[in-house]
Amino acid sequence: MRDRYSRMLQTRGVAAVEELVILAGIYAAVSGWVVHFSAARPELALSNLVVGITLAVMGLCMSMAPERSHDLNFVVLLLGAWLIISPWVVATSDAGTGAILSNVITGACVCLFALTAGGLLMSKRKT
């Protein structure tokens, strides 16, 4: 019982980072309506909605079992990279400054969270 409790406390920092992924995913999902580019760029808003919901669900799953989430961090990292490049890939013309800034900042935060969680998990495996 003590070993299980000790392992749970060691992965608590990882779960906290994954909870930030949930919040970033929720923001990415609603960013088209918050930043007001959903009417001008509906394809980008739809992409953000799908990626945001996916990030929120993955963050929820990863925070429930942080010791088994090492492989999913790579997928979260890829989704963060997609958020960064999607205004130029998805939008047929200029996406607008607000949409670009929102996606780049959110994607960078998601990438940072994934790398932080991966680093914490790797340091916990070594000890």
Side-chain angles (χ1 to χ4, degrees), residues 8 11 63 86 90-91 104:
M8 192 261 316
T11 58
S63 68
S86 65
V90 174
V104 168

Side-chain angles (χ1 to χ4, degrees), residues 38 40-48 90-93:
S38 62
R41 300 286 168 249
E43 64 278 357
L44 185 59
L46 180 64
S47 173
N48 283 4
V90 174
T92 55
S93 62

Side-chain angles (χ1 to χ4, degrees), residues 11 14-15 59-70 72 121:
T11 58
V14 177
L60 180 67
C61 294
M62 291 164 57
S63 68
M64 292 171 64
E67 66 277 354
R68 290 181 258 172
S69 67
H70 185 68
L72 292 178
L121 281 171

Side-chain angles (χ1 to χ4, degrees), residues 66-118:
E67 66 277 354
R68 290 181 258 172
S69 67
H70 185 68
D71 296 333
L72 292 178
N73 280 325
F74 184 70
V75 177
V76 171
L77 183 66
L78 289 177
L79 288 173
W82 173 254
L83 278 174
I84 292 172
I85 65 169
S86 65
W88 295 282
V89 174
V90 174
T92 55
S93 62
D94 185 33
T97 307
I100 291 172
L101 281 176
S102 175
N103 275 29
V104 168
I105 292 171
T106 306
C109 288
V110 168
C111 289
L112 179 69
F113 298 153
L115 291 173
T116 303

Side-chain angles (χ1 to χ4, degrees), residues 3-35:
D3 291 336
R4 183 175 184 269
Y5 186 71
S6 174
R7 280 182 287 159
M8 192 261 316
L9 285 179
Q10 286 178 348
T11 58
R12 186 66 208 142
V14 177
V17 172
E18 300 303 346
E19 290 163 3
L20 291 173
V21 171
I22 296 170
L23 291 176
I26 291 170
Y27 174 75
V30 300
S31 65
W33 293 271
V34 172
V35 184

